[in-house]
Amino acid sequence: MDIDHIFLRARRNAPEGDALRAFGLTEGSGNRHPGQGTANRRFFFQNAFIELLWIEDEAEAGSAATAPTQLADRLRPDAAGASPFGICFRPAHAHDTAPFPMWQYTPAYLPAGMTVGIGSGVPLAEPMWFFLAQGTPPAAAPAGRRQPLDHRAGLVELTGIAITVPGGGGPSAPSAPAVAALQSGRVTLDAGDAHLMTLTLDGARAGRHHDFRPALPLVIHY
């Protein structure tokens, strides 16, 4: 599996995205997700993208169709204890399938025939793990759908993800999707004091880092 994209919980309209822009990331287009009740701001690299995700419509987010995803449980500002993160994988090779138990979610906004595999049996303390069988790297998008990939900060690729989970929700008893994520070599999972996502860009070859807290529970090494 390869990383397709990651999401972080944001406030409505994601003012946190301004901190990413100030750091030197170029913003791509955002989406509204009709029927799911969420919306986003997005920042693209050659191989993956960062999504700042928020609840746009409470009724849609809590609907019978969306509720099983637990997105509302993760994205509400008062979602104490719930991981504010999601990690989406895609096949590393054609026809690869997700090596973890999942159920197929078919939101109204996706093109016909496309589904999202949502990891099963995942506690809210862990990130949401999901799989997009039709996912492709942003750099491989058709010209008409290509997002901006050049950044003032000079960053090119996402090369690692470390997730910190508070207390007992950590790696002592990870879910089956979490185990698959760990075995992929793309993600590490550790216990700590607070939810935190640490991204490595370009193998951290510059030996630098940027801490986006308190705006976002995010640290970038580059």
Side-chain angles (χ1 to χ4, degrees):
M1 299 187 297
D2 286 335
I3 301 295
D4 187 78
H5 67 278
I6 57 98
F7 76 69
L8 296 91
R9 179 175 64 221
R11 291 174 289 163
R12 191 178 184 87
N13 298 321
E16 299 90 342
D18 296 344
L20 296 178
R21 291 171 61 99
F23 169 65
L25 299 186
T26 302
E27 186 168 1
S29 65
N31 284 327
R32 164 79 168 85
H33 306 125
Q36 182 172 283
T38 59
N40 64 26
R41 292 176 69 176
R42 299 185 296 172
F43 298 81
F44 292 81
F45 302 99
Q46 293 281 329
N47 64 335
F49 65 91
I50 296 172
E51 176 183 28
L52 302 183
L53 191 65
W54 69 89
I55 295 176
E56 181 75 11
D57 186 306
E58 289 277 359
E60 289 183 348
S63 68
T66 307
T69 67
Q70 298 186 305
L71 278 168
D73 301 300
R74 296 183 182 280
L75 298 180
R76 288 193 181 99
D78 60 351
S83 173
F85 309 131
I87 299 178
C88 180
F89 295 92
R90 64 171 182 263
H93 307 285
H95 310 301
D96 281 357
T97 57
F100 56 81
M102 61 185 185
W103 59 276
Q104 294 301 320
Y105 172 52
T106 310
Y109 65 86
L110 283 184
M114 184 177 289
T115 63
V116 180
I118 307 291
S120 300
V122 177
L124 282 172
E126 287 183 9
M128 178 178 174
W129 310 104
F130 52 118
F131 187 84
L132 191 60
Q134 298 90 346
T136 56
R145 297 179 56 198
R146 183 72 56 86
Q147 297 285 342
L149 301 176
D150 294 325
H151 303 282
R152 178 168 49 84
L155 304 178
V156 178
E157 288 194 334
L158 175 64
T159 53
I161 301 174
I163 299 293
T164 301
V165 178
S172 58
S175 67
V179 170
L182 296 172
Q183 291 175 342
S184 76
R186 305 290 194 262
V187 180
T188 63
L189 190 64
D190 300 294
D193 295 329
H195 290 289
L196 178 66
M197 177 179 284
T198 302
L199 301 180
T200 300
L201 280 300
D202 301 330
R205 63 190 177 198
R208 303 179 66 185
H209 78 279
H210 188 91
D211 193 331
F212 291 89
R213 293 173 290 184
L216 284 167
L218 174 67
V219 175
I220 288 180
H221 291 271
Y222 62 103

